[in-house]
Amino acid sequence: LTFSSAPGAVLRGRTACWRIAKLAGHHARSFTIHARADNVSRVRRIRNRATAKGSNTRRVAARARIAIIPAAPRGGGVTG
Amino acid sequence: MRRAVAIAGAAAAVAAALAAPAHAASAGPPTWREAWIARVVAPVVAHRRPGRGRIVARIQTQAPWNGGPVGLLVLAARGRWLKVLLPQRPNGTSGWIARTRTVVRATRWRITISLAGRRVRLLRNGKTMASSSAVIGKPSTPTPRGRFAVAERVPQPDPHGFLGPWALLLTAHSDVLYDFGGGPGTIAIHGRDGASLLDPLGSAASHGCIRVPNGFVRLLARHAVEGTPVDID
């Protein structure tokens, strides 16, 4: 997967990071990533990971697995 | 109170497949034994100079022909900037991109092509691991010389077609063909099947591409990922 967009995030390699000053109790903030899957020659199973941490709370994380399915390859296009 | 939220945008499996983090900080020009590949993971602009100068290219994260990964050969590194070889005309075009939009890894693989010997070699750590005779460009449509890199590895929809099972598109372009086979005159290393078997290995008969046996091109496709250096002389 690669980033298509991650508004407001600081990108560093494969990590997008948002830093927020404060968040009231029982409130939520959402962050959006648009990702693109590379074309692959065979099925690849990968796992995304999200982590949230704060100075006064414990670190929490979530993971999700997805499978990247090959698309039909495009032939030709070279001098042969 | 200060709260930080970090979201890892890509899978551990993919990161592991590309990672060589212990070496990433020391990326630099290719040597005979080792080269560095910048895998583009977010759209990035390439400038003529680090962080400034004319825009040379706008690089997306998917390769233009088949949508595979974009891996660029690192030619130099300066702070948080990488000078990379770009897959565009004129041959040898390079630009500086932000390292933060890439994942840098090392490769010990390299391909060398001798036009005089009409031979392709696959090297690891500077040692020849495999080699094969090849068909190169004919005099009217010669294979260009220079330092290039693998731009895309494309499995062919018909493995028994003219290009065989795989085509490794290079950053090189023909100096005489600007539009051929539906593409912009891209030079590739590819297999042989169908009509391309009529030209024997060791001949100069192609339109610029390098044709090798199907088993050999499969080997190249397995080891020479996008960004692997290809030297043609």
Side-chain angles (χ1 to χ4, degrees), chain B residues 1 3 33 35 89 109 120 124 130 171 180 186 188 210-211 221 226:
Chain B
M1 181 183 73
R3 184 178 292 251
R33 288 172 172 268
R89 293 178 188 276
W109 296 97
V120 179
R124 186 169 192 271
T171 57
F180 192 90
T186 306
I210 300 100
R211 305 178 193 159
E226 289 78 5

Side-chain angles (χ1 to χ4, degrees), chain A residues 2-3 13-14 16 18-21 23 36 38-39 44 46-49 51 53 55-56 73-80, chain B residues 1-9 11-12 14 18 39 41 43 61-62 65-67 100 155-156 180-181 186 207 209:
Chain A
T2 58
F3 292 110
R14 293 187 182 276
W18 287 265
R19 188 174 285 272
I20 57 175
L23 183 65
R36 277 182 175 275
D38 297 333
N39 199 1
R44 292 192 67 174
I46 61 176
R47 188 163 60 184
N48 287 318
R49 190 179 72 237
T51 305
K53 59 185 178 183
S55 58
N56 60 349
R74 183 181 175 200
V78 299
T79 56
Chain B
M1 181 183 73
R2 193 166 179 80
R3 184 178 292 251
V5 178
I7 296 180
V14 174
L18 290 172
R39 168 78 166 87
V41 294
T61 56
Q62 267 75 41
W65 187 257
N66 197 47
T100 55
Q156 294 302 298
F180 192 90
T186 306
H207 292 95
C209 279

Side-chain angles (χ1 to χ4, degrees), chain B residues 2 4 14 22 48 57 59 61 77 81 97 102 115 118 120 123 139 146 158 164 172-173 179 186 198-199 214:
Chain B
R2 193 166 179 80
V14 174
R48 184 176 285 275
I59 305 166
T61 56
W81 298 96
I97 62 173
T102 69
L115 297 182
R118 296 174 186 176
V120 179
L123 298 94
D158 176 10
H173 291 80
D179 183 5
T186 306
L198 298 174
D199 302 317
N214 290 345

Side-chain angles (χ1 to χ4, degrees), chain A residues 6 8 11-13 15 17 19-20 27-29 35-37 39 41 43-44 48 56 59 62-63 68 70 73 79-80:
Chain A
L11 300 181
R12 188 174 299 144
T15 302
C17 184
R19 188 174 285 272
I20 57 175
H27 283 67
R29 283 282 300 272
R36 277 182 175 275
N39 199 1
S41 54
V43 175
R44 292 192 67 174
N48 287 318
N56 60 349
R59 179 177 175 277
R63 292 182 292 199
I68 310 293
T79 56

